[in-house]
Amino acid sequence: MTNYDFDFFVIGGGSGGVRAARIAATHGARVANAEEYRYGGTCVIRGCVPKKLLVYASRFADDFEDAKGFGWQLPRAEFHWSDLIAAKDKEIARLEAIYQRNLEGAGATVFAERAELVDAHTIRLTSSGRTVTADKILIATGGTPTVAGDAVGLEHVITSNEAFDLKDKPKQIVVYGGGYIAVEFAGIFHGLGAQTTLIYRGPKVLRGFDEDLRDGLMDALEARGLNVVTERTIKGITCSGGRRTVELDDGTKIEADQVMYATGRRPNTNGLGLEAAGVKTGKSGEIIVNDDQQTSVENIYAVGDVTDRVALTPVAIREGHAVADTLFGTSPWRVNYDQIPTAVFSTPELATVGLPEHEARNRYDSIDIYKSQFKPMRATLAGSDDKILIKLIVDAATDRVVGCHMMGPDAAEVIQMAAIALNMGATKADFDRTMALHPSAAEEFVTLRTKQ
Ligand code: NDP
């Protein structure tokens, strides 16, 4: 027992912070958690969860269209944005309450206010003005969207934060960026019937992903009628009577009701008192941590997006869990960052685990590539142009599968399972030996025979 008010004070009630607080409390630590906004953090409140609900909504248009090919005669479907947002808000409020309840249920003290560091063991709660002390502190304050670039008129743009709560569905929208959030939201608005233009500064979206997936997605977006403008930047945005005019660097002008910037996120470290406590940060304000999530100050730890390493919810959760077990449990452990599966919920969906081809070529002397592009069975009667793309990358020396990629319906579900195989060190021979499940799209992964 220490002389501090708490054994463990967690700043941030998102995925990483809540997991760490709950696990530490179950180990018997006296835990507190402070959250200045809403419990659940980015993922639950204005990230993964509401995004996926909107993605579901956006894909019904395809379902109604495809249904005709299967004998269904449907009246014209109408979409009501306000109904969707109200239903989404209700679900998010339910999840938020569960997050808070679980924390309290585990025995943690919850402060629904902002917390800042005064020194390495002292925290000031800014609304109440109260000061508390803690032996160990965890910073899990996440990140926030950045509005990057030097365009004039940036006050007229929204980010993903606002996109979830727009009063009306835009009739025309410009989405700027080529990363996860840009392609996901462009797909959402396009699917919901907004005239959508995606503007990206590079030649094709999703830099860093396997080139075949990037090419496949670019083709698919074009085939679906989404206007993708590449190798252009935004020079300025003007707004008149609620209508925005976006001017690109080549002088092109595009009219829209909304302009959404999805140009990356930065760690939430402003005004946290890191300097006062002696916590070192990097050039984007990210907290620098070692393999145990420990900062430059021995008793202060950080997990999740605030460290700007792998900005994915499951990673933050693992990191929080590892810190709590290591500090307060009996078996210390570290997060394994190999083979993290990830999905982009664009339409069509992309998912991947392991290395893209360009990275595999750098890492291994010789690799074998197996890939296939085919029409999903549903598209035959639906008459759509949809394609599925699958790809395996194999280290020729060991036969180990080092990359597994998919574009197409339910790619995230398929790749989550493939990630188990890759984590176990599956070889191409293991894939080949696995019986196909017919008829499915995923069976193609075990029937690939021809090297490219
Ligand atoms: P990303 O880093 O994925 O993408 C940012 C995009 O903005 C890139 O295309 C980048 O271009 C572009 N960009 C950056 N700076 C500028 C600039 N000055 N001018 C023009 N364009 C610019 O960030 P996101 O905001 O999309 O997402 C943040 C992170 O959140 C992701 O990396 C991911 O880790 C996580 N996330 C995960 C999701 C999931 O798991 N499904 C969903 C959403 C987010 P360039 O590529 O040329 O640098």
Side-chain angles (χ1 to χ4, degrees):
M1 192 63 114
T2 62
N3 290 325
Y4 298 107
D5 297 326
F6 295 101
D7 299 319
F8 193 42
F9 196 104
V10 180
I11 307 180
S15 303
V18 167
R19 174 59 65 95
R22 284 179 57 193
I23 299 298
T26 60
H27 286 307
R30 295 170 307 142
V31 177
N33 182 291
E35 166 57 53
E36 65 178 333
Y37 181 54
R38 294 176 65 184
Y39 272 91
T42 299
C43 175
V44 172
I45 306 298
R46 44 195 182 187
C48 330
V49 175
K51 179 272 311 284
K52 186 109 188 246
L53 295 175
L54 266 55
V55 168
Y56 282 129
S58 72
R59 290 180 180 166
F60 281 102
D62 287 347
D63 294 340
F64 298 139
E65 195 53 38
D66 289 0
K68 292 179 196 158
F70 291 85
W72 289 89
Q73 297 295 327
L74 300 172
R76 198 175 155 270
E78 270 181 34
F79 170 71
H80 296 273
W81 172 261
S82 55
D83 291 350
L84 170 64
I85 297 304
K88 179 267 294 177
D89 286 345
K90 195 169 157 208
E91 173 58 7
I92 297 313
R94 187 183 74 83
L95 295 174
E96 180 187 9
I98 292 175
Y99 260 68
Q100 184 157 349
R101 217 167 38 235
N102 285 347
L103 258 181
E104 288 166 343
T109 302
V110 169
F111 296 101
E113 57 182 308
R114 181 173 171 82
E116 294 173 0
L117 297 174
V118 176
D119 60 39
H121 289 283
T122 312
I123 301 110
R124 190 167 63 88
L125 294 152
T126 60
S127 301
S128 59
R130 203 175 144 186
T131 296
V132 297
T133 58
D135 184 9
K136 305 278 195 278
I137 295 171
L138 177 71
I139 302 169
T141 48
T144 196
T146 47
V147 174
D150 52 7
V152 289
L154 289 175
E155 65 277 18
H156 304 305
V157 312
I158 59 167
T159 67
S160 56
N161 279 357
E162 294 75 39
F164 287 116
D165 297 310
L166 290 175
K167 235 174 109 276
D168 302 302
K169 189 197 82 182
K171 289 194 180 63
Q172 291 171 305
I173 186 164
V174 166
V175 180
Y176 190 40
Y180 282 79
I181 297 179
V183 294
E184 289 181 345
F185 270 90
I188 289 168
F189 285 117
H190 177 71
L192 294 177
Q195 197 183 319
T196 306
T197 303
L198 178 66
I199 298 170
Y200 175 50
R201 64 180 174 182
K204 49 188 165 181
V205 294
L206 295 179
R207 184 166 60 82
F209 278 75
D210 188 274
E211 295 297 318
D212 282 316
L213 285 191
R214 295 176 77 193
D215 290 334
L217 183 64
M218 290 293 291
D219 290 346
L221 295 180
E222 197 186 324
R224 297 176 67 78
L226 205 153
N227 184 26
V228 186
V229 177
T230 54
E231 307 198 286
R232 287 283 160 260
T233 55
I234 294 183
K235 213 169 94 184
I237 304 115
T238 53
C239 181
S240 166
R243 291 278 292 167
R244 276 103 178 132
T245 304
V246 176
E247 186 176 352
L248 304 186
D249 55 348
D250 66 348
T252 308
K253 290 191 174 157
I254 304 167
E255 299 273 317
D257 307 310
Q258 295 289 351
V259 180
M260 177 180 159
Y261 264 52
T263 50
R265 295 174 61 83
R266 64 174 165 73
N268 257 334
T269 47
N270 283 352
L272 258 189
L274 298 178
E275 254 178 55
V279 175
K280 289 212 172 86
T281 53
K283 69 175 182 345
S284 315
E286 75 277 15
I287 295 180
I288 297 165
V289 290
N290 66 16
D291 291 345
D292 291 312
Q293 313 296 139
Q294 192 177 35
T295 69
S296 53
V297 178
E298 178 261 329
N299 69 304
I300 302 182
Y301 294 74
V303 296
D305 290 8
V306 78
T307 64
D308 200 20
R309 292 174 306 170
V310 185
L312 296 172
T313 297
V315 176
I317 290 174
R318 281 277 163 99
E319 290 173 348
H321 200 133
V323 169
D325 277 350
T326 302
L327 292 179
F328 303 104
T330 48
S331 320
W333 59 281
R334 282 178 177 166
V335 176
N336 174 6
Y337 293 91
D338 290 339
Q339 321 272 26
I340 298 172
T342 182
V344 183
F345 292 97
S346 45
T347 302
E349 194 164 298
L350 305 187
T352 176
V353 60
L355 301 175
E357 183 176 335
H358 61 274
E359 280 185 32
R361 288 206 183 281
N362 284 339
R363 186 154 331 164
Y364 298 99
D365 290 337
S366 169
I367 57 169
D368 295 329
I369 306 291
Y370 298 84
K371 61 185 174 189
S372 170
Q373 190 172 16
F374 55 96
K375 205 177 170 94
M377 197 174 186
R378 170 171 155 151
T380 54
L381 296 202
S384 76
D385 292 330
D386 291 355
K387 301 244 168 31
I388 292 178
L389 184 85
I390 62 162
K391 179 168 179 179
L392 283 182
I393 298 165
V394 178
D395 170 22
T398 61
D399 196 40
R400 267 187 69 167
V401 178
V402 296
C404 182
H405 309 277
M406 177 171 177
M407 179 187 84
D410 298 321
E413 308 294 340
V414 173
I415 293 295
Q416 173 67 89
M417 298 311 291
I420 301 172
L422 263 70
N423 255 305
M424 293 173 74
T427 59
K428 179 67 169 58
D430 293 324
F431 273 64
D432 295 345
R433 205 174 41 243
T434 302
M435 190 67 79
L437 189 161
H438 187 71
S440 66
E443 69 178 307
E444 298 286 327
F445 276 116
V446 298
T447 57
L448 287 166
R449 295 288 181 268
T450 314
K451 279 183 213 166
Q452 298 295 302

